[in-house]
Amino acid sequence: MADVAIVGAAEADAGADEEIDLAALGDDDLIAQMHDDLYDGLGPEIVEGTELLLGRGWPADKVLNEALVEAMRIVGIDFRDGILFVPEVLLAANAMKAGMEILRPLLAETGAEPIGKIVIGTVKGDIHDIGKNLVSMMLEGAGFEVVNLGINTDVDTFLAALDEHRPDILGMSALLTTTMPYMKVVIDTLIEKGLRDDYLVIVGGAPLNQEFGEAIGADAYCRDAAVAAETATDLIRARRGAAT
Ligand code: B1M
């Protein structure tokens, strides 16, 4: 009996390890498989799937939204519900980043004229950077020079970067309800130092909304990366138009 059980387990293992030929899948099945692979944190499979979809003529933003962002949305639900934990989510995040690296040059390549400069960071206490990095890519694609300060950015680091790079826009990202109030700390510090009017300020991140953006005195709240690129462009054009 024991032997039978052992053989059975070995067969099950062999089945689980069986390689799936991603290239043989149709688009819908490939997308579904990529959702599973990102959920399981399989970076090389995500890279392969991303390249396959691009090779089939999918635009980069469609690959991003339908394969990667949607998969991370599913991860987020299971994280919230206690089905996934930090280590698994970290692996999923790394798989997502591997896919984003393939898409980065495509999202950033528009041939657009340089339109302005932005300093962007995830605020103090917060280490979520996928959304902020996506926003940075889209802004690059819209013709912005982006100075990306990374994660866990405190007010002094923001101020030093503003002083050094003299951008048109300051962008802040927060993914936690506990870190979003720090955006107000940064804006209030700009006001105290008489610097607020020198910069446009845009904010974003999953727990924010329009009302919060207005309440902390940002120039705009942006729902997603595409809106951030559009809004940043509009704000700069409006400011330059007003100055002439
Ligand atoms: Co975190 N996490 N996490 N996590 N994590 C969330 C945010 C959470 C909602 C999960 C959940 O419970 N469902 C929850 C927050 C709950 C809350 O605050 N109410 C949460 C928690 C609790 C935590 C920890 C506290 C868990 C723990 O330790 N017990 C911990 C906190 C660590 C810290 O920051 N101090 C933690 C850790 C992590 C990981 C490290 C494992 C990993 C981050 C890896 C990384 O970023 N390198 C992680 C992840 C991946 C998530 C989820 C699953 C996915 C976030 C993501 O990348 N989404 C997330 C669940 C969720 O959001 N549904 C969750 C994909 C990305 C494309 O979307 O970031 O929303 P998003 O960005 C969008 C828009 O929001 C917008 O545009 C982007 C693109 O369209 N946007 C901007 C974002 N920034 C913008 C800036 C702009 C404009 C638009 O202008 C400047």
Side-chain angles (χ1 to χ4, degrees), residues 76 79-80 89 125 127-131 173 175-177 204-206 222 224-225:
F79 189 25
R80 179 196 65 203
V89 178
I127 63 168
H128 295 86
D129 66 354
I130 294 175
S173 177
L175 263 286
L176 299 172
T177 47
C222 307
D224 60 32

Side-chain angles (χ1 to χ4, degrees), residues 39 73-85 89:
Y39 190 98
R73 189 187 69 79
I74 300 165
V75 169
I77 292 169
D78 280 4
F79 189 25
R80 179 196 65 203
D81 295 345
I83 297 164
L84 289 179
F85 296 94
V89 178

Side-chain angles (χ1 to χ4, degrees), residues 13-44:
D13 271 359
D17 288 346
E18 203 173 288
E19 290 261 326
I20 294 171
D21 180 6
L22 295 180
L25 300 177
D27 287 4
D28 289 349
D29 289 340
L30 177 55
I31 289 287
Q33 186 59 42
M34 286 176 74
H35 292 170
D36 287 351
D37 288 346
L38 193 139
Y39 190 98
D40 291 336
L42 304 178

